[in-house]
Amino acid sequence: MFTLARYSSGVTLYHPYFSISSLSLTPETEAKEETEAKDNENPPDSTYPYPTPPYWTTAPPRTGVSVCLRYMIDHLDQKSSTVFTLSPSGSFLSLSDNYASSYAVKYYYSNYVNLQPSVRLWSLASPSAWTSVCLTLDSNRRVVQMFKGPFMSIRKVLPVQYVWSGEPVMEFTGTDGQVKDVQVWNYPLRYKEVYYYMTEDSYWSQQGNILSWSHVRYSVRGQSFLEDSYESQTKQSIGRGSRLSRKFFSAGKTEDTKREMI
C-alpha cells in the first residue's frame, strides 16, 4: 500500500510502457518502480496480456472508463479529500470523498457531478477495514455511477460528455491516508465485474486492462512512501519469520524480478 501525506507529497502511478517525462507533473524521484501483490499470493507472471505499446497514441477509447481502488482516510483536518485524479495532464477525471457519505466527480475543470452510494446492491460476506470504491463512466450514454462496498449510487447523466484521453496515469495528492489495489479499465464495468472486485476473493481475475496494481510503475514525492499493507504487517507480527513475496521493477529493466521481505 502507499501511505500518502497531505502537504507537498504525492504518488503517481503509470503503465510500465508509458513515459511521464513529457507530462506536466512533478519530476520523478529516484527510480522506484515497484508492484505489490495481494497478501500471501504470488503476483501474476510477466506473460499477462498487457496492451502493446504505444496503445495510447491511437484514437482515444470512446466507450468510457472505470477506476477501482481501496483506501483509508479520515476527515479530521479537511472536509473533502481527493481520492484520485486520472490523466492529470490532459482530460482529467477526479473523485473527491466528502465524509465518505457522498462523492464528487470532477472533469474538464468546471464540470462536476455529486454521487451518493446509499442503495444496497448486494451483501458482502465479511466487512473490510478498507473503503472499496469503483467509479464507472459510460461515454456513449453519458452516464456515471459510483459503487462503495455493497452500495451503489443512482446512475447520473453527465452535464457535458466526458471522453477519456487514454493517458494511463493516476495521481494521489493532497490527502492523508493509504491506498492500494488500484485498477483502471477503458470501458464501464458490468455489475458482475464490480462485485468480483468488491468481494476480493476473485481479485486476480479482476485486473485492469489499462492500469493493474500487480503491473504498474510509480514515483513518489515528499513524504509519501510504499510499505506493506496493514494485513501483511499484522501477519508478520503474529508469525515472525514468515516471508512475503513482492514483485518489482528495477531501474532500466523491463523483466520482472522478485525479492523476499522478512
Side-chain angles (χ1 to χ4, degrees), residues 44-50 215 247 254-256:
D45 58 35
S46 58
T47 60
Y48 188 85
Y50 301 107
H215 192 81
K247 184 171 66 175
T254 57
E255 61 179 337
D256 296 340

Side-chain angles (χ1 to χ4, degrees), residues 14-64:
Y14 57 100
H15 194 279
Y17 293 138
F18 186 78
S19 173
I20 65 172
S21 59
S22 61
L23 303 179
S24 55
L25 302 173
T26 304
E28 291 184 73
T29 58
E30 182 180 356
K32 289 185 178 180
E33 294 88 12
E34 187 165 348
T35 59
E36 183 173 358
K38 188 183 179 183
D39 301 337
N40 294 331
E41 290 191 16
N42 291 325
D45 58 35
S46 58
T47 60
Y48 188 85
Y50 301 107
T52 302
Y55 67 93
W56 48 83
T57 61
T58 60
R62 298 286 178 174
T63 58

Side-chain angles (χ1 to χ4, degrees), residues 55-261:
Y55 67 93
W56 48 83
T57 61
T58 60
R62 298 286 178 174
T63 58
V65 65
S66 297
V67 177
C68 292
L69 55 88
R70 309 185 204 283
Y71 71 94
M72 288 187 186
I73 59 175
D74 60 37
H75 296 277
L76 297 178
D77 301 315
Q78 52 192 136
K79 296 181 179 179
S80 178
S81 300
T82 300
V83 180
F84 70 82
T85 300
L86 177 67
S87 304
S89 69
S91 305
F92 83 90
L93 178 73
S94 70
L95 179 70
S96 296
D97 177 334
N98 302 318
Y99 287 109
S101 59
S102 65
Y103 293 82
V105 179
K106 300 178 182 179
Y107 63 102
Y108 291 160
Y109 300 102
S110 60
N111 297 288
Y112 70 93
V113 172
N114 292 315
L115 299 172
Q116 186 172 23
S118 58
V119 180
R120 180 176 288 274
L121 184 60
W122 47 61
S123 297
L124 299 182
S126 58
S128 174
W130 294 87
T131 300
S132 298
V133 297
C134 287
L135 180 70
T136 65
L137 189 150
D138 188 328
S139 295
N140 292 333
R141 296 181 176 179
R142 222 173 82 178
V143 296
V144 64
Q145 188 171 23
M146 177 83 193
F147 299 85
K148 176 189 168 188
F151 299 97
M152 70 174 186
S153 72
I154 64 171
R155 288 162 61 85
K156 280 194 174 182
V157 177
L158 297 171
V160 176
Q161 183 183 33
Y162 175 81
V163 178
W164 182 45
S165 65
E167 179 185 276
V169 179
M170 286 191 71
E171 274 205 318
F172 301 89
T173 59
T175 299
D176 292 315
Q178 286 74 42
V179 64
K180 70 171 188 174
D181 296 355
V182 181
Q183 311 288 345
V184 179
W185 296 261
N186 62 351
Y187 63 91
L189 293 179
R190 295 172 295 178
Y191 284 10
K192 178 174 67 175
E193 294 173 299
V194 174
Y195 176 80
Y196 286 158
Y197 180 84
M198 295 298 181
T199 53
E200 296 191 58
D201 57 350
S202 301
Y203 174 81
W204 288 121
S205 65
Q206 285 306 109
Q207 298 291 292
N209 68 337
I210 298 299
L211 282 181
S212 171
W213 184 249
S214 63
H215 192 81
V216 70
R217 289 189 176 184
Y218 73 90
S219 67
V220 294
R221 303 179 296 282
Q223 300 302 309
S224 298
F225 58 92
L226 178 70
E227 62 178 330
D228 289 331
S229 66
Y230 291 124
E231 296 85 349
S232 295
Q233 295 182 46
T234 300
K235 292 176 182 177
Q236 290 181 65
S237 63
I238 294 175
R240 293 183 178 180
S242 62
R243 293 177 178 270
L244 299 176
S245 176
R246 173 180 292 173
K247 184 171 66 175
F248 72 102
F249 295 96
S250 297
K253 294 183 179 180
T254 57
E255 61 179 337
D256 296 340
T257 310
K258 291 184 179 179
R259 76 176 180 187
E260 289 185 333
M261 299 183 62

